[in-house]
Every structure is written in C-alpha cells, then in structure tokens.
Amino acid sequence: MEQSSAFHLTMRLDNVGVITIDVPGEKMNTLKEAFAGQIREVIIRARENPQLAGLVFISGKADSFIAGADIMMIAGCKSAEEAQTLAKQGQKVMAEIAALPFPVVAAIHGACLGGGLELALACSQRICTVDDKTRLGLPEVQLGLIPGSGGTQRLPRLIGTSHALDLILTGRPLRARQALKMGLVDEMVPQSILLDAAVALVLRGRMNRPPLAVRERLLNGPPGRALLFRLATKKTRARTKGHYPATERILSVIRIGLEQGKNSGYEAEAKAFGELAMTSESEALRSIFFATTALKKERGAEADPYDLRSIGVLGGGLMGGGIACVTAIRAGLPVRIKDVNAEGINHAMKYSWDLLSKRVQRKQMKPAERLREMARISGATDYKGFRQRDLVIEAVFEDLALKQRMVAEIEQHCMPETIFASNTSSLPIGEIAAQAQRPENIIGLHYFSPVDKMPLVEIIPHTGTCAQTIATTVSLAKKQGKTPIVVADKAGFYVNRILAPYINEAMRCVLEGEPIESMDNALVQFGFPVGPVQLLDEVGIDVGTKIIPVLEKAWGSRFSAPDAFDAVLNDGRKGRKNGRGFYLYSAAGKGKNSKKRVDNSIYTLLNIKPKPQLDDKRRAERCVMMMLNEAVRCLDEDVIRSARDGDIGAIFGIGFPPFLGGPFRYIDHLGAGCVVNVLESLMHIYGERFAPCEALRRMAETGAKFYKLVDKSDNHIDSEA
C-alpha cells in the first residue's frame, strides 16, 4: 500500500481486520475523492484472509472519527453533473461496504459527521464512546446541500422517518446517549475499551436489529407517511421562509426512496446533490464555512499569544455573567468576578449555574460535573485574587470615566503584563486607554448578548495596543468558542455601525405609518432571524440611544436618530429588559403558542396612525440598502480588514441572512451597479442619507467585485478588497 494512504489495515490473531483512518498531515479526518480506491484496496487485502471474521473502522486521530467530506471537492466542481458524479462515487463505495458478507463495525470517537456518518451507516453495526466530544450527525443542509453518499436512504430505515427528517433537515448533531436511545448506534462504551468492544461486536456476528417502534412503523405506512411529510413540509417552510432549497430536496429525496425504493432514492439523492452544489445559496453557505475555518487559523497579529492561566471579570451584570460563563465552561479557565456588591456576583454566578443545570436536566452532564465546572468561578467585592490574573475583561456601564478608573485599578492591583480588555459597544478604546500607564495592554473585546449564544466578538486594538495583546485576546476569544474579527478603533466599530442605520431606517418607516409588525415581518421574510424593531427591543432601546449620538458625532447626519427615540425613552421603555418596549411582555402574552404582539399604545405615544403604504420588498430594501452602503464605507475606511471579515461580522453579529453570504457577497451577487442604482432611486425619494458611498460608485464604474471568482484549478477563494 502507498505510504500516503489514509486507510491502514491491521490483521489481528482473532481474524478481525482493523482499518485505521488517519489522513496524513491533517488534524481531523475528512473524506476525499481519492479515498474510494484506498478503501477498496484495504478491503480487498483483508479478504485475502479466508478466515476473516469481519472488519472494524476506527480513527487514528485523537478526537475525530471522520468530520465529513472535504468541502473543497464540491468547490472544485464546475457543473451539476460533476457534483452528481461525486455523489455517485460516494454511494458506490458505501454500497460496497454495506454488501460485505461479514460484520463491519464503525468504532466512533469524536466527530462523526456528514460523509463520516454515511460511512458508519454503511457498516452493519456502530459503537461509540460516551465521551462528550463524540457527535453524530448529517450537517450538509447547513452548507445548502443534502447528504450525497446514501445518508438520505439509510438513516430513515435505521432510526425511522420522523427522527431522520429531524436530523437531516436541521443538521443538528447527536451526543452519544441520544444516538444510542435513537438506535443510531448499537453500543456506547468508554474510549479506553472502544477497539476491544468493537472487535467483540464483530466476533458476535451480525445482530438482529429490533423492529422500529410502533409509532415509527405507522408513520412509515402510506397514510402516516403522507401526514408526516405534510407536517414536516409546513414546519420547514415556516422556519426557512423558502430561502433554503436544500430542505425541499431533502423532503423529496427521502420520500422518493421510501415510496419508490432505495435505487430510485439513491438516483434522486445524487441528482439533488449535484444541482444544489451549483446554487447561489450553497455557494454562500460554503463561503461562511471557508471563512470561519480560515479565521480559526489566524492570530490577529504577528506575535505569539501569552499563555493564559486565569481571567478576571469586572462587573456582575448580564454581560459579566455571560463572559465568566464562556470563560470557565468553554475555555476551561479559572475566573474571578469583581462587583461592587455580593448580589452582583451571585447574579453573575447564577448565569453559569442555570446553563449547567439545563445540561444536567437533559442528562448531558452529571451533578458532580456541574460542581466541578462551577468551582472555576469565584467572586469578591474587592481585588483579592486578582494579582495573578493574565487578562481582565471589563463589563461595567458605558461610562468613560468609570472605565478609565477600572484601568487605573487593574494597573494598581494586577501584574504589569496583565491585559485589560473592555467590553464596550461604543466608547473609543484609545480614550479608555488615554490615562493608562501601560496603554499597550489595553484593548477592546466587544461581546454580543446573550454571550453564551452569540458567536461573534469584535477585537478592537487602539493605535498603542501591542501585537502580543491582540494575539492573546484573539486566542482567548477562540478558547471561549467565539469567532473573533479584528476591527479598527473607530466610532461604532463595525457591527453597531452597520446596524444603526438599518434600525434607524426601520423606525423612520414606522413614523411614516408603517405598522411595526409589518416592518419586522418584511425583514424576517428577507431572511433575518428577527425584525429590526424587535431587535431594538431585545438589545435595549436605552443601549441603542447611547450609541447613536457617538455615531452621529463621528459620521454625520446620516446617523441621526428619529426624535421618536426620545419620546419612547422618556416613557420609561427600555425593551425586553424592563418589560416595556415596542412589543408586549406581560405574562398574558407569553403563551406557548402565542405570537409576540405589538404594544399599540406606542402609536399613541408617537402620535401616529399605522397605515401600510409600502410593500414588503420596499420595506426591506430601505433598511438593507442602508446597511450595505455603510458596510462598504467600513471596508473602504479600513474599519474591517477584509470583505470576508465584514460578512462574518454581519452574519454572526446581527443575523444577516447566511444564504446571502453576508453584505459583501450579496453586493457581488446583485452587482455594485445595481446597488448604486437602487440607492440613488431611494435617495431621490427619501433624502441624502441614501447617497451611495464613493467606494460603491467606483466599483459600479469598473464592474469590480469584492470576491474573485473561484479558481477551479486550485480551488482558491480570495477577496479583492
């Protein structure tokens, strides 16, 4: 066998062949086109033993079985036919494994996703470790694709149609216990005995699998199946708003396989895979995957990060509690919280306790494990325990003098090399560092709420921040499970700067008489997870009004907020946080099936009578075009380092529709000339705030794009800007 093969065969004395999967030079195993031949080769060699009892597939990597197929294979396809051929090759090799006349066991530890799970499904049995790193799933829908190596056909027959639809339509991975309960795996064992248990499973011979539950058998019959697919289709369309074509094809392909037989199902699967691979939605979703993968490898600066051993957090509010939580639980670092009173510390610690308790309730961890996690978090009302903190994250009120005082106190009570990271959403980092003895240690670290759910952080160095401080802060963010982008220390940074004109425009529409729910629904239909008015309620109306004056002072009248904001705040409305905003938050409006309702008294307060005048397209257009224009300005002014960072910031920070790939990919899709024309049309109707920025005009004149075309010869994807 060639030395570079990813599949290595070892024959044991008990006549069990162990095939170890270990892709050379890569941290995780991914399936590549060339592997089909390698798999066939090791199987042929194993079958040379006339006493062969069976085979075990196991990974040679520390923490992954197979993390999926190599996405670059799809990027290299020039046509739907090429991608379809790729799927058929995968189906063929999986069919050959499934047809072997002896037991074949997949011994799974770590990530077993996409093509990795499809290989496991082709085996006669599956066994996995109980380890928390073990995850099984078919996440292809998140890339705008469907499983293409038989997964849509094998999974429903193994675990039942309803479970299979749920897993394939959402792409959500299962933990080991969930996979065992669902029947996806046959056994679950500690990692230390995985291979021995897999071999024992082979030597026991093929299992007689228990029949599916009565409910699943009923759903597999024609009447039950029709009802199941009708409900699944309705639920899926409500969630996707028709923006993700892969979900419709998943439903169709699974149904074809169940009603017309596996062969028809495999044909439909390969055809759908090929056609979906060429869609703009899949291209956009795959671009997000490539961008986040690239960001994981970047340090943020040309320096080695410090080793982090312990972290401090200043402020025990919602943000402080969330930051302490992701630091202790995800990064695994000890955290010391300081607040002015014990109540604040208790509140911050409750954040982590509540989150861990949900895991205990779901049987994802044991009570003893919860206590071990909580032991990493401590707190005090003074600076005891702060002397040796490597990095301190400040999460106090948005008040410059207060933050400057925090800098001085950390410089007094911590080590000279301690990094001070401010979680500010609007205040310039240079001003926070203005009176610092060691300004090179000061940096911005802007989280988004809720901290445990929002994936983005903005890293904001000021002109005096040293490279090692940047690299260390980026390193911490990654440990916390965040996707960090480094942005310039300019008013609003990036995310809030593109968000403010978007929300302002929605408010202007409301003041013109557009109903609040109509504005929000228009942007949800466009692809945002929530509408702009509801988002303002969620973020906090008071927070929004603090950021707007900073932006207006720096960037001019296009950021001026409608006067209505003052009236809303003067009425004591802060949004969800105090139960008073544009929407109702009374207990009566929180029923399980109730839809969020607008507080109609807001119209009286604003002295307007709601009357729809615009259609959904124009409502969305006005808000989105303001965002796109500002995003281009941010890139032109070097607020962000690349179009890629701008796209990731918008998608992960404010929920810009992923299927559009971010503001810059969306502009490329529309064409800069088209965007300029729309903005000029809006400018003539609504005013100068819609004037296209100079960078967009230049691009429109030259036909330039933010992203180069994919080079199919070397699969290189890059940004021009």
Side-chain angles (χ1 to χ4, degrees):
M1 184 185 295
E2 294 179 10
Q3 192 65 35
S4 61
S5 177
F7 296 83
H8 307 274
L9 174 68
T10 304
M11 287 303 306
R12 293 166 50 102
L13 294 175
D14 52 18
N15 293 315
V16 174
V18 177
I19 298 173
T20 302
I21 311 160
D22 196 347
V23 180
E26 294 190 14
K27 187 178 177 183
M28 302 185 88
N29 290 323
T30 55
L31 293 176
K32 303 177 189 294
E33 190 173 1
F35 290 175
Q38 295 178 15
I39 293 172
R40 288 190 183 99
E41 185 180 342
V42 292
I43 291 174
I44 289 168
R45 285 184 53 212
R47 297 191 74 172
E48 291 172 357
N49 178 358
Q51 270 75 50
L52 181 65
L55 294 173
V56 171
F57 280 97
I58 194 167
S59 173
K61 303 295 185 188
D63 291 318
S64 86
F65 179 68
I66 299 173
D70 183 357
I71 308 302
M72 292 308 295
M73 290 191 301
I74 302 157
C77 292
K78 298 179 180 138
S79 67
E81 290 73 26
E82 277 190 33
Q84 182 175 344
T85 299
L86 204 62
K88 285 186 173 181
Q89 288 172 353
Q91 289 178 348
K92 189 166 186 274
V93 75
M94 300 309 174
E96 289 169 8
I97 293 170
L100 290 170
F102 42 72
V104 182
V105 174
I108 301 162
H109 170 69
C112 176
L113 304 170
L117 182 56
E118 287 182 297
L119 187 147
L121 288 168
C123 297
S124 54
Q125 287 129 281
R126 287 148 297 281
I127 185 169
C128 74
T129 66
V130 70
D131 196 286
D132 193 54
K133 291 174 183 172
T134 296
R135 294 285 192 280
L136 300 92
L138 294 171
E140 287 85 353
V141 71
Q142 296 168 5
L143 297 175
L145 299 168
I146 70 170
S149 295
T152 64
Q153 305 306 302
R154 289 194 174 90
L155 190 63
R157 288 170 174 81
L158 179 68
I159 64 171
T161 308
S162 60
H163 286 318
L165 282 172
D166 177 50
L167 293 182
I168 300 174
L169 285 168
T170 64
R172 70 182 179 92
L174 296 175
R175 287 180 166 85
R177 292 184 194 281
Q178 295 169 308
L180 181 66
K181 184 178 180 182
M182 208 172 279
L184 183 53
V185 298
D186 303 294
E187 288 187 22
M188 183 176 69
V189 296
Q191 185 187 355
S192 59
I193 63 165
L194 177 62
L195 179 57
D196 290 339
V199 168
L201 209 53
V202 168
L203 294 174
R204 266 186 277 174
R206 284 182 178 268
M207 293 174 54
N208 288 322
R209 198 169 304 284
L212 292 172
V214 173
R215 173 179 172 273
E216 288 295 335
R217 292 205 299 275
L218 288 171
L219 290 174
N220 277 349
R225 189 188 301 133
L227 174 62
L228 173 62
F229 276 89
R230 190 160 60 247
L231 292 174
T233 300
K234 183 179 178 182
K235 182 178 177 183
T236 300
R237 286 176 181 168
R239 189 178 72 246
T240 66
K241 308 293 186 292
H243 293 306
Y244 295 86
T247 57
E248 296 287 336
R249 299 302 292 272
I250 287 166
L251 288 159
S252 169
V253 164
I254 292 176
R255 190 162 192 174
I256 286 170
L258 292 171
E259 295 180 349
Q260 299 176 29
K262 286 188 287 188
N263 289 341
S264 296
Y266 290 132
E267 276 293 326
E269 179 187 84
K271 188 172 188 292
F273 182 90
E275 291 172 355
L276 288 167
M278 295 297 115
T279 61
S280 61
E281 291 88 354
S282 180
E283 185 181 357
L285 293 167
R286 282 183 275 127
S287 77
I288 299 167
F289 172 83
F290 290 129
T292 52
T293 301
L295 280 166
K296 286 174 186 175
K297 299 173 183 174
E298 295 179 7
R299 296 182 177 184
E302 294 296 321
D304 292 326
Y306 292 121
D307 287 332
L308 293 169
R309 296 157 298 178
S310 63
I311 306 297
V313 173
L314 302 179
L318 187 65
M319 292 301 290
I323 293 165
C325 175
V326 296
T327 306
I329 295 171
R330 292 186 191 158
L333 292 167
V335 183
R336 183 80 165 172
I337 304 167
K338 181 192 178 295
D339 196 83
V340 291
N341 57 56
E343 185 182 353
I345 295 163
N346 291 336
H347 185 269
M349 294 182 76
K350 187 175 183 295
Y351 191 113
S352 295
W353 178 263
D354 289 345
L355 193 128
L356 291 169
S357 295
K358 286 179 184 175
R359 293 191 192 174
V360 172
Q361 289 165 9
R362 294 170 186 155
K363 297 192 163 57
Q364 293 170 358
M365 72 165 29
K366 295 176 181 174
E369 292 173 309
R370 175 176 58 188
L371 292 176
R372 276 199 299 273
E373 296 283 349
M374 286 300 300
R376 293 197 194 99
I377 308 174
S378 60
T381 54
D382 55 27
Y383 282 102
K384 284 178 185 173
F386 267 75
R387 173 60 59 184
Q388 300 301 317
R389 301 288 148 174
D390 301 302
L391 187 150
V392 175
I393 304 167
E394 166 270 302
V396 300
F397 299 116
E398 287 285 277
D399 179 272
L400 180 61
L402 176 60
K403 289 178 186 283
Q404 288 176 336
R405 197 177 87 221
M406 295 295 99
V407 170
E409 290 181 4
I410 289 303
E411 289 186 328
Q412 178 187 345
H413 291 98
C414 295
M415 302 180 292
E417 59 269 28
T418 296
I419 292 170
F420 181 96
S422 175
N423 175 49
T424 177
S425 57
S426 60
L427 297 173
I429 308 305
E431 292 185 22
I432 292 172
Q435 299 170 17
Q437 297 173 31
R438 294 179 286 277
E440 67 275 10
N441 293 351
I442 313 298
I443 195 166
L445 181 55
H446 180 207
Y447 295 86
F448 296 84
S449 184
V451 178
D452 64 294
K453 291 179 181 172
M454 295 297 286
L456 187 78
V457 290
E458 290 180 307
I459 310 281
I460 312 116
H462 64 96
T463 52
T465 305
C466 73
Q468 200 155 33
T469 294
I470 299 170
T472 305
T473 309
V474 167
S475 174
L476 172 63
K478 290 177 184 176
K479 284 181 168 65
Q480 293 171 330
K482 301 296 179 184
T483 298
I485 59 169
V486 179
V487 304
D489 186 21
K490 296 184 179 181
F493 313 134
Y494 173 65
V495 171
N496 281 337
R497 181 167 163 187
I498 67 170
L499 180 62
Y502 166 84
I503 290 180
N504 271 354
E505 196 59 32
M507 290 307 303
R508 286 192 175 92
C509 290
V510 169
L511 290 173
E512 291 168 14
E514 295 300 321
I516 289 168
E517 62 268 37
S518 297
M519 285 306 303
D520 279 347
N521 183 62
L523 274 304
V524 168
Q525 291 298 324
F526 181 82
F528 284 88
V530 296
V533 185
Q534 185 182 339
L535 180 61
L536 183 58
D537 258 11
E538 298 288 343
V539 169
I541 301 166
D542 54 331
V543 174
T545 52
K546 281 183 181 177
I547 296 169
I548 293 295
V550 175
L551 292 167
E552 188 178 2
K553 180 181 177 184
W555 310 115
S557 60
R558 73 176 183 273
F559 278 96
S560 62
D563 294 337
F565 274 128
D566 291 336
V568 173
L569 267 184
N570 292 339
D571 194 46
R573 296 174 187 257
K574 296 183 179 180
R576 180 182 284 280
K577 68 173 73 174
N578 74 338
R580 299 193 71 227
F582 292 93
Y583 284 87
L584 291 169
Y585 295 97
S586 65
K590 289 184 179 178
K592 187 176 180 182
N593 298 314
S594 66
K595 191 176 179 181
K596 191 179 291 296
R597 290 189 295 118
V598 170
D599 182 354
N600 286 319
S601 67
I602 199 85
Y603 295 121
T604 306
L605 178 68
L606 298 175
N607 196 28
I608 54 177
K609 291 183 179 179
K611 183 181 179 182
Q613 300 172 64
L614 307 174
D615 60 18
D616 278 353
K617 182 176 182 292
R618 178 49 65 95
R619 292 179 185 122
E621 193 174 63
R622 283 178 61 174
C623 299
V624 172
M625 284 294 156
M626 290 293 285
M627 180 182 285
L628 298 184
N629 207 13
E630 204 60 40
V632 176
R633 284 193 182 95
C634 287
L635 181 60
D636 195 43
E637 296 166 12
D638 295 323
V639 172
I640 46 177
R641 294 180 172 186
S642 65
R644 178 205 67 186
D645 286 8
D647 283 339
I648 291 299
I651 292 166
F652 287 2
I654 53 181
F656 191 92
F659 63 89
L660 296 176
F664 296 97
R665 281 198 184 273
Y666 185 46
I667 293 171
D668 276 359
H669 175 71
L670 295 174
C674 172
V675 174
V676 167
N677 288 341
V678 173
L679 282 166
E680 286 181 338
S681 172
L682 292 169
M683 179 180 67
H684 293 315
I685 300 170
Y686 300 107
E688 279 297 313
R689 65 183 181 275
F690 282 102
C693 67
E694 284 307 310
L696 255 180
R697 290 186 186 277
R698 289 195 303 269
M699 291 183 70
E701 289 169 7
T702 61
K705 289 183 177 290
F706 294 106
Y707 290 93
K708 295 176 184 176
L709 294 174
V710 177
D711 185 341
K712 301 295 186 182
S713 61
D714 64 3
N715 294 334
H716 185 63
I717 300 175
D718 206 350
S719 168
E720 287 186 355

